[in-house]
């Protein structure tokens, strides 16, 4: 019998907003399971369960990426630890938190392996951007001594780029195939089936929110939704738990360039979904939930 597994599908800047003309999630069709709204109880495809999740974490101000992502990937309330929300990339204090509490490291210490960060990196990133733009996820992978997936891995079907279609890579001159959302989703599903824990990160949504670009949202959100649906359709939800979450709101309100104070959607599919949902209130609960799922039958 296959051991249980978990995929954490992280979407940057996805909050639960109101139904309004300024919310592209309310104006664009065919984007299930992303279209979730305040004061509504939606019917989630593939029998998923939605938990509106607090991203403010008891700290004044707008939630930010560095502290929110650190919280998701460690279970530590990073804004409370710092005394403020931290935007952009983790500072040294947050890097130290990740080095000690990374979900990948915690799983490794428990003997739960193999685990994977499914996103492909470019050689250029490590040559020119690594020191300055070191994400919480990059720090979390390093903490456990895991290898990074690179472009050759992507070409072999062992990684997915953050935009999943490879359009960004092709625009930058990389000789990689243009993928449909379905093709990318099937690749990610295969990776999920061969690992105990898989993390995939997508942050174009946050960029769209900051740019207040409704046309871009209209083009992109249906592709993102189709990619997610494809993953769900191609994994075994009897043995796999799929958790989708975000670090803060943004794209759900294009009236402002800033992040929102809205709760974010944590959607759980598959194995133990209802049991897991009862344990989640804010972003500090994501890592403990994953650890509990994977250690319960270890």
């Amino acid at each position: 019998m296959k051991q249980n597994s978990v995929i954490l599908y992280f979407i940057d800047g996805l909050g639960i907003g109101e139904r309004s003309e300024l919310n592209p999630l309310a104006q664009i069709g065919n984007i299930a399971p992303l279209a979730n709204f305040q004061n509504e109880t939606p019917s989630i495809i593939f029998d998923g369960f939605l938990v509106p999740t607090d991203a403010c974490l008891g700290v004044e101000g707008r939630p930010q990426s560095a502290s929110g992502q650190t919280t998701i990937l460690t279970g530590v309330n990073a804004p409370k630890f710092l005394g403020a929300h931290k935007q952009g990339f983790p500072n040294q204090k947050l890097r130290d938190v990740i080095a000690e509490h990374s979900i990948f490291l915690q799983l490794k210490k428990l003997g739960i392996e193999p685990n994977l960060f499914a996103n492909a990196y470019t050689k250029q990133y490590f040559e020119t951007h690594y020191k300055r733009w070191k994400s919480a996820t990059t720090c979390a992978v390093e903490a456990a001594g895991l290898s990074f997936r690179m472009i050759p891995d992507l070409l072999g079907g062992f990684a997915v780029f953050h935009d999943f279609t490879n359009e960004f890579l092709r625009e930058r001159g990389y000789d990689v195939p243009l993928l449909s959302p379905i093709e990318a989703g099937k690749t990610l599903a295969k990776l999920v089936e061969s690992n105990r824990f898989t993390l995939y990160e997508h942050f174009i949504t946050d960029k769209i929110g900051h740019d207040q670009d409704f046309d871009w949202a209209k083009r992109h959100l249906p592709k993102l939704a189709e990619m997610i649906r494809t993953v769900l359709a191609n994994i075994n939800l009897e043995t796999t738990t799929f958790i989708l979450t975000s670090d803060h709101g943004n794209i759900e309100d294009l009236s402002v360039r800033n992040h929102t104070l809205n709760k974010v959607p944590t959607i759980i599919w598959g194995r133990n979904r209802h049991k897991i949902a009862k344990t989640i209130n804010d972003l500090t609960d994501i890592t403990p939930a994953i650890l509990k799922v994977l250690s319960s039958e270890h």
Side-chain angles (χ1 to χ4, degrees):
M1 179 178 177
K2 183 183 181 299
Q3 289 182 298
N4 55 329
S5 62
V6 173
I7 171 175
L8 177 60
Y9 196 113
F10 169 72
I11 301 178
D12 198 326
L14 178 68
I16 302 176
E18 300 177 349
R19 284 188 180 270
S20 75
E21 295 181 355
L22 298 171
N23 183 354
L25 300 168
Q27 301 299 317
I28 303 170
N30 195 31
I31 59 168
L34 303 177
N36 302 296
F37 308 101
Q38 295 176 11
N39 303 314
E40 296 184 18
T41 303
S43 175
I44 305 292
I45 58 171
F46 290 91
D47 199 23
F49 198 92
L50 170 69
V51 182
T53 305
D54 172 37
C56 294
L57 299 168
V59 176
E60 291 188 8
R62 297 178 186 274
Q64 300 294 335
S65 295
S67 48
Q69 292 167 26
T70 297
T71 301
I72 291 170
L73 295 173
T74 65
V76 175
N77 188 329
K80 186 177 181 180
F81 172 73
L82 290 178
H85 298 282
K86 173 69 174 69
Q87 64 183 14
F89 300 90
N91 57 15
Q92 190 58 53
K93 287 186 177 180
L94 292 184
R95 290 184 183 186
D96 290 344
V97 169
I98 298 169
E100 183 176 355
H101 300 285
S102 160
I103 185 171
F104 289 108
L105 179 60
Q106 293 189 60
L107 288 169
K108 183 177 181 179
K109 288 181 176 179
L110 290 170
I112 299 172
E113 297 176 303
N115 305 305
L116 171 69
F117 179 40
N119 289 59
Y121 286 74
T122 64
K123 184 178 179 182
Q124 181 187 24
Y125 167 78
F126 289 103
E127 292 175 341
T128 62
H129 302 319
Y130 171 71
K131 291 184 178 179
R132 182 178 178 184
W133 294 323
K134 194 172 181 180
S135 69
T137 310
T138 301
C139 294
V141 173
E142 286 184 327
L146 296 181
S147 61
F148 294 101
R149 295 295 166 103
M150 306 296 289
I151 297 302
D153 297 302
L154 183 149
L155 292 172
F158 298 105
V160 181
F161 201 58
H162 75 83
D163 76 340
F164 60 80
T165 63
N166 297 336
E167 290 180 34
F168 282 19
L169 286 171
R170 290 165 62 88
E171 289 172 1
R172 290 159 55 187
Y174 287 89
D175 185 16
V176 295
L178 183 67
L179 299 180
S180 69
I182 292 175
E183 290 172 322
K186 288 182 177 179
T187 295
L188 183 56
K190 288 181 181 179
L191 297 175
V192 171
E193 291 294 338
S194 58
N195 289 278
R196 295 297 307 282
F197 173 66
T198 304
L199 171 65
Y200 178 70
E201 179 178 72
H202 180 78
F203 51 84
I204 293 175
T205 37
D206 193 46
K207 175 64 173 174
I208 293 172
H210 286 304
D211 288 355
Q212 297 175 282
D213 193 331
F214 196 98
D215 288 338
W216 191 3
K218 187 176 181 179
R219 296 192 305 272
H220 183 69
L221 288 173
K223 295 178 183 178
L224 176 60
E226 185 174 34
M227 195 269 203
I228 294 168
R229 293 194 298 265
T230 301
V231 176
L232 286 164
N234 285 274
I235 58 176
N236 183 352
L237 291 174
E238 293 296 320
T239 58
T240 302
T241 303
F242 186 127
I243 301 175
L244 181 154
T245 198
S246 183
D247 50 353
H248 54 72
N250 191 352
I251 196 173
E252 80 281 5
D253 185 356
L254 296 187
S255 69
V256 294
R257 300 178 64 88
N258 299 322
H259 298 165
T260 71
L261 299 174
N262 292 329
K263 290 186 175 183
V264 300
T266 297
I267 310 177
I268 306 106
W269 289 273
R271 188 178 181 84
N272 295 322
R273 60 192 177 281
H274 296 295
K275 185 176 180 180
I276 296 167
K278 292 178 181 179
T279 70
I280 294 176
N281 295 292
D282 62 44
L283 296 183
T284 64
D285 299 318
I286 303 298
T287 279
I290 294 169
L291 293 173
K292 187 173 182 179
V293 168
L294 292 175
S295 63
S296 62
E297 298 179 13
H298 179 61

